[in-house]
Amino acid sequence: MLAGKRLLLIIGGGIAAYKCLDLLRRLKEQGMQVTPVLTAAAQEFVTPLSVAALAGEKVYTDLFDLTDESEMGHIQLSRVADLVLVAPATADLMAKMAGGHANDLASTLLMATDTPVMIAPAMNLRMWQHPATQRNAAQLQADGITLVGPNAGGMACGEYGPGRMSEPLEIVAAIKAALSNGPLTGKRLLVTSGPTHEPIDPVRYIANRSSGAQGSAIAAALAALGAEVVFVTGPADVPPPEGVEVVAVQTAAEMLAAVEKALPVDGAVFAAAVADWRVASAQKSKIKKDKGKLPVLEFAENPDILAQISQMKTGRPKLVVGFAAETDDVIALAQAKRVRKGCDWIVANDVRPQTGIMGGEENAVHVITADSCESWPRMQKTQVACQLADRIAAALA
Ligand code: CTP
């Protein structure tokens, strides 16, 4: 969906500028045309030559370059794009933007542009947390500018906390969401996917046969309709889709924490095959064989993530979709499960081994709502995902 679209990429002067080289490569892979602009400070971190080589286009650096002005003036340059992205957006660049300065090419373009602007902040955590930066961030958002990130994590300066620039794929996802005009544009959706692994000891765990294929396909289909998607995934066999924010977890408890952190969302699809039980006290050291004595595992019940979110008193997503993996009496059990858990829809499937559904590429589902039950023919999981995404878009319209 980015093919043929044009991005004006303003690279600011921070160590995260190196990530822009990878970002450029990812955007070119998607067929996007990128016009790069480097601030003076950015040129200390990446060279115009490497940026030009990856972008396959001329790099702009100077406000008063007469050749540039005769070829393409700065006003025109600021308006040729579908989107302007500032990455990394340093504290200084953000301050300039919030204050309306126009004393170099980057800040002048940002003042002159009439296209949407997105920034990916990157700086030391104290600089990010500084009241001045927080004030500027709030001002920029109030001015209609979209912020992607920053993330928390280890920094080049050795400190740990918020301030890291979002990863290139997260930025690509945000660009897609910003440029999409699909029916889910502006909506935030959550998808859980894959199995969970519940540890017995550091080397053993309890798991299930879920591949994560259906959840991954649903996340991709929602993103393709323009949604901003948070994809919370257990250790799945299939890779997460591009263009979504991926949160990788292992256990049900971690999945619940990640889901709660992702709220508020407009809609949530719980496609994960969450383990119902965990080992009550997972051992810190490997359990050793003990002369024929068999270990006894005690279980504790895991939180029911779907039920917990469905039954939220305040801030509940407008649409909550659960899955029901059943081996007998599929429709009746799924209808009862919908009521018991309190979700709006249940997508039920028959996971007996002979169906080949769990871990396979196809699915045959029944979509159960408060007053209907539709049985869809067996089809590719990607097709189920597209149909379901269309349904979700209609329900959230
Ligand atoms: N689910 C969840 N948290 C759990 C268990 C299940 O969020 N701890 C969600 C699944 O993601 C799915 C739905 O609940 O959307 C139903 O999962 P399923 O395994 O079919 O049902 P269970 O709740 O485990 O009930 P049972 O095992 O009795 O069928």
Side-chain angles (χ1 to χ4, degrees), residues 189 266-269 316-321 344-345 391-392 395-396:
L189 274 291
D266 297 289
V269 181
R316 181 192 189 275
K318 189 173 161 208
L319 179 70
V320 179
V321 183
D344 301 299
W345 304 349
R391 279 293 177 88
I392 291 171
L396 290 178

Side-chain angles (χ1 to χ4, degrees), residues 38 68 85 87 101 119 128 139 146 181 210 222 241 258 271 277 290 297 304 308 314 346 355 374 394 397:
L38 266 72
D68 291 351
L85 170 70
H101 292 241
I119 66 170
W128 171 250
Q139 182 60 55
T146 308
N181 52 8
S210 165
L222 293 170
W277 309 280
D290 184 8
L297 296 181
D304 190 319
Q308 213 160 301
T314 49
I346 280 264
T355 64
E374 251 181 54

Side-chain angles (χ1 to χ4, degrees), residues 4 251 285:
T251 64
S285 308

Side-chain angles (χ1 to χ4, degrees), residues 237-255:
D237 297 339
V238 298
E242 289 208 359
V244 303
E245 183 189 333
V246 181
V247 186
V249 298
Q250 294 281 324
T251 64
E254 288 170 9
M255 188 171 273

Side-chain angles (χ1 to χ4, degrees), residues 5 10 12 55 76 104 117 125 134 153 166 174 193 217 260 324 345 387 397:
K5 299 267 194 234
I10 297 178
Q76 198 189 342
D104 62 5
V117 177
L125 77 135
Q134 289 301 307
S166 294
S193 182
E260 284 175 332
W345 304 349
Q387 277 191 213

Side-chain angles (χ1 to χ4, degrees), residues 150-169:
N151 294 346
M155 308 206 158
C157 55
E159 290 188 275
Y160 186 94
R164 251 173 89 104
M165 189 168 92
S166 294
E167 294 306 317
L169 283 180

Side-chain angles (χ1 to χ4, degrees), residues 194-200 205-208 249-257 272-282 298-308 341:
T196 61
H197 284 183
E198 307 296 332
I200 297 171
Y205 57 81
I206 294 171
N208 60 62
V249 298
Q250 294 281 324
T251 64
E254 288 170 9
M255 188 171 273
L256 174 62
V274 186
D276 290 320
W277 309 280
R278 66 181 179 278
V279 176
S281 46
E298 264 198 46
F299 289 94
E301 197 164 325
N302 269 333
D304 190 319
I305 307 167
L306 171 64
Q308 213 160 301
K341 300 214 183 202

Side-chain angles (χ1 to χ4, degrees), residues 131-219:
T133 307
Q134 289 301 307
R135 230 177 12 247
N136 292 336
Q139 182 60 55
L140 292 173
Q141 278 178 302
D143 292 346
I145 290 173
T146 308
L147 267 71
V148 47
N151 294 346
M155 308 206 158
C157 55
E159 290 188 275
Y160 186 94
R164 251 173 89 104
M165 189 168 92
S166 294
E167 294 306 317
L169 283 180
E170 290 174 80
I171 298 177
V172 172
I175 292 173
K176 279 189 178 164
L179 291 181
S180 165
N181 52 8
L184 286 172
T185 302
K187 300 274 192 265
R188 183 172 158 89
L189 274 291
L190 166 80
V191 178
T192 70
S193 182
T196 61
H197 284 183
E198 307 296 332
I200 297 171
D201 67 18
V203 293
R204 305 179 178 97
Y205 57 81
I206 294 171
N208 60 62
R209 294 185 195 280
S210 165
S211 65
Q214 187 63 84
S216 197
I218 292 168

